[in-house]
Amino acid sequence: MRLTAQDKQHYLDQGFLIIPDFITQESCDVLMQRARELIAGFDTNAIKTLFSTKDHSHAKQRYFLDSGDKIHFFYEEKALDETGRLTLDKLHSINKIGHALHDLDPIFHAFSHTNDIATLARDLEIVDPLLLQSMYICKQPLVGGEVSCHQDSSFLFVKEKPVTGLWFALENATQENGCLWAIPGGHKTALKSRMKRDAQDTVTFEVYDETPWSLENMIPLEVSRGSLIVLHGLLPHMSKENHSSHSRHAYTLHLYSKQHHYAEDNWLRRSQPSALKGIAID
Ligand code: FE2
């Protein structure tokens, strides 16, 4: 599947592009089934032990900071009570799985390394694309939390050219179940902040512009199952809480060019930085 000149222009002007039916319904089923299996195999006791140590927030942050080259599981905040105990079954408590599914899990690896994605990256002029991270996002029914307005480049900074996000809808995403919202053309604004991680693993936010986002300019990006939303790294976007009884599963990938420099003080790291892989099937 090739992008048309009109698609490319839309992406340049708006900072996002919706491609319906980019993946098959069967692919959606396969990824959702695999995510169910991974969650079923996830040992909640291990994580409870980790999080019930004295320094709860430190352990929690450590688990997050270590997830760059692992498959880690993160809860919906509303699925936990004040003592950190799950109030729902495991399958309906997970907010997301990240951040190296595309490397470590054979099913997600196969999905993430296709000619369709390589061709898309070429059309988006990402030379020698590398897959930086992957996330499986559940946005659970009733407890799916809000993701406040942000630019992905705040978290994954590449100086020469912002990262590109690929957001695959594995279920219909509607305003009811917490679809993405974005400010069309907002990618033309400068980066407002950066999350940095220093050599001691201290995480800080560097703020360049404190002006709040003009949320009244946001539009909902409602898409059907199988659609792909391409997101420019500087595009302000968010998603609201899911108050509906339907989940809103999505799989995301972030890409950047091998020719560019992934900032060393980004939070997401790998024990072996050279282990980042291209899209080509290997
Ligand atoms: Fe994002």
Side-chain angles (χ1 to χ4, degrees), residues 129-187:
L130 293 175
L131 293 174
L132 180 56
Q133 72 160 16
S134 50
M135 290 189 283
Y136 188 96
I137 305 169
C138 299
K139 198 73 151 184
Q140 299 285 3
L142 305 172
V143 296
E146 175 184 308
V147 177
S148 59
C149 190
H150 66 280
Q151 295 163 301
D152 287 346
S153 290
S154 293
F155 304 96
L156 303 169
F157 184 69
V158 176
K159 194 176 175 189
E160 295 90 342
K161 184 181 175 180
V163 290
T164 304
L166 304 182
W167 197 97
F168 301 92
L170 305 180
E171 294 184 292
N172 293 336
T174 64
Q175 292 189 54
E176 286 68 42
N177 69 357
C179 68
L180 290 181
W181 289 67
I183 301 177
H187 63 304

Side-chain angles (χ1 to χ4, degrees), residues 23-278:
I23 57 170
T24 63
Q25 300 295 303
E26 192 197 352
S27 290
C28 296
D29 289 338
V30 168
L31 292 201
M32 289 181 71
Q33 173 58 25
R34 184 60 184 151
R36 272 193 292 273
E37 287 167 12
L38 289 172
I39 294 171
F42 159 56
D43 180 3
T44 50
N45 284 322
I47 214 73
K48 260 186 232 148
T49 311
L50 177 70
F51 285 2
S52 62
T53 55
K54 254 188 182 172
D55 192 350
H56 174 96
S57 60
H58 176 75
K60 197 170 165 184
Q61 190 183 50
R62 187 78 256 164
Y63 185 72
F64 171 71
L65 291 178
D66 285 349
S67 66
D69 53 6
K70 297 188 180 64
I71 297 176
H72 278 182
F73 300 80
F74 303 92
Y75 292 122
E76 295 283 4
E77 258 180 58
K78 280 193 179 171
L80 301 171
D81 67 14
E82 320 76 60
T83 63
R85 253 198 315 257
L86 287 184
T87 57
L88 294 165
D89 65 273
K90 194 163 60 165
L91 198 59
H92 294 97
S93 303
I94 299 297
N95 165 292
K96 67 177 172 189
I97 312 172
H99 288 90
L101 286 158
H102 63 290
D103 272 341
L104 302 177
D105 181 80
I107 305 284
F108 282 96
H109 180 280
F111 177 88
S112 309
H113 295 76
T114 62
N115 287 334
D116 281 349
I117 297 177
T119 303
L120 176 74
R122 201 176 312 134
D123 281 350
L124 294 167
E125 296 175 18
I126 307 169
V127 182
D128 296 332
L130 293 175
L131 293 174
L132 180 56
Q133 72 160 16
S134 50
M135 290 189 283
Y136 188 96
I137 305 169
C138 299
K139 198 73 151 184
Q140 299 285 3
L142 305 172
V143 296
E146 175 184 308
V147 177
S148 59
C149 190
H150 66 280
Q151 295 163 301
D152 287 346
S153 290
S154 293
F155 304 96
L156 303 169
F157 184 69
V158 176
K159 194 176 175 189
E160 295 90 342
K161 184 181 175 180
V163 290
T164 304
L166 304 182
W167 197 97
F168 301 92
L170 305 180
E171 294 184 292
N172 293 336
T174 64
Q175 292 189 54
E176 286 68 42
N177 69 357
C179 68
L180 290 181
W181 289 67
I183 301 177
H187 63 304
K188 292 171 186 165
T189 25
L191 187 63
K192 273 191 192 283
S193 66
R194 264 200 70 198
M195 180 169 142
K196 288 185 168 182
R197 172 179 176 183
D198 70 12
Q200 285 71 46
D201 287 338
T202 305
V203 174
T204 50
F205 260 93
E206 212 168 72
V207 178
Y208 312 118
D209 175 2
E210 292 194 351
T211 345
W213 296 109
S214 318
L215 298 183
E216 64 277 9
N217 295 333
M218 289 234 152
I219 60 160
L221 306 183
E222 293 188 297
V223 292
S224 56
R225 186 178 202 236
S227 301
L228 166 65
I229 306 179
V230 184
L231 296 162
H232 188 285
L234 289 175
L235 184 77
H237 62 284
M238 65 171 292
S239 66
K240 300 181 183 180
E241 288 186 328
N242 182 3
H243 295 298
S244 80
S245 54
H246 303 286
S247 56
R248 193 229 60 192
H249 288 211
Y251 177 61
T252 70
L253 288 169
H254 280 86
L255 320 178
Y256 78 104
S257 167
K258 194 179 185 176
Q259 299 185 344
H260 297 157
H261 301 95
Y262 178 70
E264 284 172 6
D265 54 3
N266 278 318
W267 80 267
L268 183 135
R269 292 182 194 169
R270 292 173 168 241
S271 36
Q272 291 192 320
S274 58
L276 278 181
K277 290 182 188 146

